[in-house]
């Protein structure tokens, strides 16, 4: 049972392990969007966005709904938004510690 949970977690984080996929998720955190909307907001080629959405769909992180001739993407689980926020907080914590360390080093070198 625990092996299945660990495998799920590892696969989940692998699916998030690409900068463009993170950007896509951040855009979808603000609301549902089409490939063209995501592409425009991110400033990336449509094929690259489509490829990354395919990975996210395969891992059940996003879901696509056909609306006319477009597919509208959304987050499968709204907890993804919290996960992205926590990741940002962790980054900020590391950054703050690095800035403090640099400040200490500057003081020592004076």
């Amino acid at each position: 049972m625990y092996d299945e949970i660990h495998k799920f977690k590892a696969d989940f984080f692998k699916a998030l392990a690409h900068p463009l996929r993170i950007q896509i998720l951040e855009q979808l955190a603000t609301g549902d969007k089409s490939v063209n909307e995501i592409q425009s907001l991110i400033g990336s080629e449509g094929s690259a966005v489509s490829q990354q959405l395919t990975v996210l769909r395969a891992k059940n992180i996003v879901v696509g709904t056909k609306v006319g001739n477009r597919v509208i993407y959304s987050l499968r689980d709204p907890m993804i938004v919290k996960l992205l926020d926590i990741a940002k907080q962790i980054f900020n914590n590391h950054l703050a510690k690095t800035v403090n360390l640099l400040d200490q080093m500057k003081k020592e070198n004076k």
Side-chain angles (χ1 to χ4, degrees):
M1 175 70 170
Y2 289 111
D3 287 343
E4 290 177 33
I5 292 170
H6 291 130
K7 181 167 176 14
F8 169 81
K9 288 179 182 179
D11 287 344
F12 178 80
F13 284 111
K14 282 182 197 173
L16 299 181
H18 192 285
L20 186 54
R21 291 195 285 263
I22 297 296
Q23 286 181 290
I24 290 169
L25 294 174
E26 288 175 342
Q27 291 304 320
L28 292 177
T30 66
D32 302 351
K33 293 176 181 53
S34 69
V35 174
N36 290 338
E37 290 172 311
I38 296 168
Q39 174 188 352
S40 176
L41 290 165
I42 293 175
S44 181
E45 295 179 21
S47 61
V49 170
S50 293
Q51 288 172 343
Q52 300 310 324
L53 281 166
T54 298
V55 172
L56 293 169
R57 281 180 78 171
K59 296 299 181 182
N60 292 316
I61 295 172
V62 301
V63 62
T65 306
K66 187 100 167 144
V67 178
N69 63 349
R70 299 183 321 156
V71 177
I72 303 299
Y73 289 92
S74 59
L75 298 175
R76 182 175 213 87
D77 188 329
M79 293 295 290
I80 295 289
V81 176
K82 289 184 180 183
L83 179 66
L84 295 171
D85 287 341
I86 290 169
K88 187 184 288 185
Q89 290 173 10
I90 291 169
F91 172 79
N92 287 339
N93 290 344
H94 284 282
L95 186 60
K97 288 178 184 177
T98 301
V99 168
N100 286 337
L101 181 60
L102 288 172
D103 286 344
Q104 289 176 358
M105 290 172 63
K106 284 180 185 177
K107 290 177 185 176
E108 289 174 5
N109 289 330
K110 286 185 178 185

